[in-house]
Amino acid sequence: MAKISILLVGLWLLGSWTGLLDAEYMEYKDPKRSIDTWVEDLISRMTLEEKIGQMLQIERKYASADLLKKYFIGSVMSEGGSIPAPQASAETWINMVNEFQKGSLSTRLGIPTFYGIDAVHGHNTVYKATIFPHNIGLGATREPQLVKKIGAATALEVRATGIQYVYAPCIAVCRDPRWGRCYESYSEDPKLVQAMTEIIPGLQGDIPDNLPKGVPFISGKEKVLACAKHYVGDGGTINGIDENNTVIDRDGLMRIHMPGYFSSISKGVATIMVSYSSWNGVKLHAHHDLITGFLKNTLHFKGFVISDFEGIDRITSPPHANITYSIEAGVSAGIDMFMVPKLYIEFIDDLTMLVKNKYIPMSRIDDAVRRILWVKFMMGIFENPFADYSLVRYLGIQDHRQLAREAVRKSMVLLKNGESADKLLLPLPKKVPKILVAGSHADNLGYQCGGWTIEWQGVSGNNLLKGTTILRAVKNTVDPETRVVYKENPDVEFVKSNGFSYAIVVVGEHPYAEMHGDNMNLTIPDPGYETITNVCGAIKCVVIIISGRPVVIEPYVGLIDALVAAWLPGSEGQGVADVLFGDYGFTGKLPRTWFKTVDQLPMNVGDPHYDPLFPFGFGLFTKPTKGFYSA
């Protein structure tokens, strides 16, 4: 009996000690401590395996709660168009994100994960989200405070789906419109791009005055982590070829392509994404001087640097030819988090080997993890790891659609208005017998929104988006007695024989993204020019160009009575009608030079050979004319 008692006491003592160990004080969980203390305490407890896991961001298709737990994965992401279900609701997105989070929180140290997505003109992957104009259109508004509001609205809609991190803004300075990402650039002018970094405090919140420069900041559960991209010179590649080589001296790089990063860092941007491209032949993903030397050591950027999608694979040609070399080059250059969507086990094994064999010092791993953890603590995800269902109501709300409509009308650039000042066509009269609306882009929300909308390359048609086409906007605006006739590509006889008072022709580019949009001739697809010729050769017409950049239009300008650059306006086409019919005036200015012929390219404001069709900053103004009803 005594032996049994001693045994029971021993088991009780063992259990007590286990309980004490379980209740061990952990500084990183003490709310009274500073972020620096939390980070250092947590890093001190982490194994190499846990540290390498934090450096990974994997694609949702290849992720699960169990997998995040097993490999200690730091982040999950959606590549372009990657969704949990067709037309997924906000709740479906939240359920997915929270499920991943459960896996992360069940690890030994309970380090939460965050989820990243391309929200580059609103929450553009998500069904029923508000789609704002692409950046080139926002550049035409010249209104940084408007862009800040768009950032705040986008943050709310992203948080409505449980997501905490967006790959925006793109602060590329597009120097050649042949580049397929030119519409993601606010302007060819670095000063205008700099001004538009005001979207960052919209996304993340206003940085406190007492925060040291370079420290990332996010102000709460209604804000998201932003990402300035693509570092650096992505918009300056030869002939605008995507992911290619930017040939420019250091002074030119600093003067043209770097200013947006100066502003982004001063506004507390949390992350910076590295460009696929090269600078003078050296891949940016392997560029120690620019990433560690300049960005981290000279500019004192304290957030984390993230690779682009499979970015380290493309250090070699062909991609993934020597992944061990690419991992060593990328980590050594100073990249902290790596988008390795699928082959993450290979990354873990190779990086583990590189560290254990002292090819990469542990201090470099600790620098990466320290930065990632700092951002995670700053954003409050340790205290509030799960998504808040109460924000679901913000997805696609009317206030955001009204903001998008305002952005659309302010982004419209009037390039021509009649043959002379006393023969203006715009604003159009609302009350006339009959109007012709023509063109491939008049009744197509997908075309209106462009690439990076629902899918990576965009979509066509009206079924997958909620919004207002330009045709619908015209019908909404004209007098009830005015008959609106839509014919996509009418012949001359139809135009002449139907007694139209005037025509609105809406044509332009089909959606594209990244290298799929690289285009050496910059003509619009057939039958765009035929539609312009058939309609404008017969009756008074206004031509609206839907495009991600200037396109060839010079041969047709003489035929056209009024010409509008509408860029890629997004879901709220009513903003186009707002200015066409005079409810508001045209105020937009060209954010980039409109060339005469592609042979002139590249051609930017200030160049010695500058001879544009319409110069940078050009835009005709009109005044609002409420109640303007007769022709």
Side-chain angles (χ1 to χ4, degrees):
M1 185 70 185
K3 285 182 179 178
I4 293 170
S5 299
I6 290 166
L7 180 63
L8 288 170
V9 168
L11 288 170
W12 176 81
L13 284 170
L14 181 63
S16 299
W17 279 112
T18 305
L20 285 170
L21 288 170
D22 284 346
E24 178 195 356
Y25 171 68
M26 295 186 176
E27 270 193 310
Y28 78 93
K29 293 185 176 181
D30 185 343
K32 297 188 180 74
R33 300 295 184 178
S34 68
I35 293 179
D36 288 333
T37 303
W38 291 335
V39 169
E40 293 311 316
D41 180 63
L42 186 48
I43 279 188
S44 72
R45 299 171 185 276
M46 293 172 74
T47 64
L48 175 60
E49 189 181 13
E50 287 167 329
K51 290 174 181 178
I52 289 173
Q54 284 301 302
M55 295 170 68
L56 276 167
Q57 184 178 66
I58 69 173
E59 218 288 328
R60 52 158 290 281
K61 291 193 294 290
Y62 312 110
S64 68
D66 289 343
L67 192 144
L68 265 66
K69 179 181 179 181
K70 182 177 180 181
Y71 295 108
F72 312 103
I73 301 298
S75 181
V76 184
M77 54 92 68
S78 279
E79 64 181 319
S82 179
I83 56 177
Q87 299 185 5
S89 67
E91 290 87 352
T92 300
W93 280 93
I94 287 176
N95 292 341
M96 175 189 69
V97 173
N98 282 348
E99 187 62 27
F100 290 141
Q101 193 66 282
K102 288 173 188 174
S104 294
L105 296 178
S106 65
T107 57
R108 180 178 72 95
L109 295 170
I111 303 172
T113 188
F114 55 71
Y115 196 101
I117 198 164
D118 284 282
V120 297
H121 62 140
H123 200 7
N124 47 260
T125 306
V126 173
Y127 183 58
K128 292 186 177 179
T130 309
I131 308 297
F132 291 92
H134 267 297
N135 286 355
I136 189 169
L138 298 182
T141 70
R142 297 296 203 277
E143 283 198 28
Q145 289 307 307
L146 174 65
V147 171
K148 182 179 181 180
K149 289 178 187 173
I150 289 170
T154 300
L156 270 175
E157 297 207 15
V158 171
R159 282 288 197 169
T161 58
I163 295 170
Q164 312 96 341
Y165 179 27
V166 300
Y167 308 128
C170 177
I171 54 171
V173 181
C174 176
R175 303 291 283 179
D176 192 323
R178 292 174 292 187
W179 186 36
R181 306 193 77 156
C182 206
Y183 64 79
E184 296 184 59
S185 167
Y186 293 107
S187 178
E188 71 192 41
D189 175 27
K191 289 190 177 65
L192 182 51
V193 172
Q194 251 189 313
M196 292 303 179
T197 60
E198 196 60 19
I199 195 171
I200 291 167
L203 291 164
Q204 295 191 161
D206 288 305
I207 190 166
D209 294 335
N210 61 349
L211 207 64
K213 185 182 175 187
V215 173
F217 178 76
I218 179 171
S219 67
K221 289 193 288 184
E222 294 185 351
K223 298 296 182 182
V224 293
L225 303 176
C227 179
K229 66 182 189 182
H230 310 84
Y231 186 81
V232 59
D234 50 342
T237 58
I238 296 168
N239 296 332
I241 298 169
D242 191 37
E243 304 183 11
N244 206 262
N245 189 23
T246 296
V247 178
I248 193 171
D249 62 20
R250 192 176 187 93
D251 176 67
L253 188 79
M254 295 297 160
R255 183 170 39 84
I256 294 171
H257 299 286
M258 198 65 80
Y261 292 94
F262 303 153
S263 298
S264 297
I265 291 166
S266 71
K267 291 172 183 177
V269 74
T271 77
I272 290 175
M273 186 187 295
V274 181
S275 178
Y276 287 127
S277 59
S278 303
W279 177 43
N280 295 333
V282 179
K283 291 277 188 178
L284 266 300
H285 274 77
H287 212 300
H288 180 273
D289 175 47
L290 282 177
I291 298 172
T292 298
F294 192 72
L295 185 61
K296 290 183 173 181
N297 295 344
T298 302
L299 298 184
H300 304 293
F301 173 62
K302 304 297 185 194
F304 68 81
V305 177
I306 189 167
S307 80
D308 208 331
F309 189 86
E310 296 179 336
I312 53 167
D313 296 50
R314 302 189 204 184
I315 290 173
T316 58
S317 183
H320 207 82
N322 184 345
I323 197 61
T324 306
Y325 164 77
S326 294
I327 292 168
E328 182 182 2
V331 174
S332 299
I335 299 171
D336 304 309
M337 181 171 273
F338 293 82
M339 275 194 216
V340 182
K342 187 176 182 181
L343 302 177
Y344 42 83
I345 295 173
E346 174 184 68
F347 179 93
I348 292 166
D349 291 345
D350 282 14
L351 184 51
T352 301
M353 179 274 294
L354 287 165
V355 175
K356 286 186 173 176
N357 288 290
K358 297 189 166 38
Y359 291 102
I360 293 172
M362 185 63 82
S363 59
R364 173 73 272 270
I365 303 300
D366 285 348
D367 171 60
V369 177
R370 186 174 285 114
R371 290 165 178 273
I372 293 162
L373 293 178
W374 211 100
V375 169
K376 287 187 174 184
F377 279 116
M378 165 57 82
M379 68 191 287
I381 200 167
F382 278 84
E383 297 94 328
N384 297 293
F386 291 109
D388 187 345
Y389 286 89
S390 70
L391 300 178
V392 163
R393 67 184 187 276
Y394 288 113
L395 185 68
I397 60 169
Q398 197 56 35
D399 282 356
H400 293 170
R401 294 189 180 277
Q402 286 300 115
L403 179 64
R405 178 177 172 178
E406 177 188 353
V408 171
R409 63 175 175 259
K410 288 179 174 178
S411 70
M412 297 295 105
V413 181
L414 182 57
L415 299 173
K416 181 180 179 182
N417 190 13
E419 293 305 317
S420 61
D422 58 347
K423 290 185 179 177
L424 303 178
L425 181 60
L426 301 181
L428 295 169
K430 294 178 180 176
K431 188 171 186 178
V432 293
K434 192 159 52 168
I435 299 169
L436 172 64
V437 177
S440 52
H441 289 55
D443 191 32
N444 193 315
L445 278 175
Y447 285 5
Q448 203 170 290
C449 292
W452 289 113
T453 309
I454 303 299
E455 297 177 10
W456 175 39
Q457 294 297 320
V459 295
S460 177
N462 301 329
N463 295 332
L464 295 173
L465 288 153
K466 183 181 177 185
T468 305
T469 67
I470 294 169
L471 174 64
R472 171 47 54 196
V474 170
K475 290 178 175 179
N476 290 345
T477 306
V478 297
D479 185 82
E481 294 180 13
T482 298
R483 187 176 165 212
V484 178
V485 176
Y486 173 59
K487 195 166 180 65
E488 188 170 322
N489 186 32
D491 59 29
V492 175
E493 182 57 32
F494 178 86
V495 178
K496 284 183 173 177
S497 62
N498 271 281
F500 297 114
S501 301
Y502 57 79
I504 299 167
V505 178
V506 192
V507 292
E509 295 186 299
H510 295 162
Y512 54 81
E514 299 190 46
M515 73 291 295
H516 297 281
D518 288 355
N519 188 326
M520 295 300 115
N521 61 47
L522 294 183
T523 52
I524 61 174
D526 292 335
Y529 295 120
E530 179 187 339
T531 307
I532 292 172
T533 304
N534 287 353
V535 177
C536 299
I539 57 172
K540 285 189 293 184
C541 77
V542 53
V543 172
I544 299 166
I545 304 288
I546 303 290
S547 67
R549 53 198 163 189
V551 291
V552 172
I553 199 66
E554 194 264 347
Y556 304 91
V557 170
L559 264 183
I560 296 166
D561 296 289
L563 178 63
V564 177
W567 315 114
L568 298 169
S571 59
E572 304 312 304
Q574 195 64 47
V576 179
D578 284 343
V579 288
L580 278 185
F581 293 95
D583 292 329
Y584 293 83
F586 278 90
T587 56
K589 298 178 181 179
L590 284 181
R592 56 180 317 102
T593 300
W594 203 294
F595 59 86
K596 290 176 181 174
T597 70
V598 290
D599 299 336
Q600 297 175 295
L601 300 175
M603 176 176 64
N604 294 285
V605 63
D607 287 352
H609 66 290
Y610 198 68
D611 181 28
L613 179 62
F614 302 107
F616 171 83
F618 180 79
L620 301 172
F621 288 7
T622 60
K623 291 181 179 177
T625 52
K626 297 280 185 184
F628 184 64
Y629 273 102
S630 58

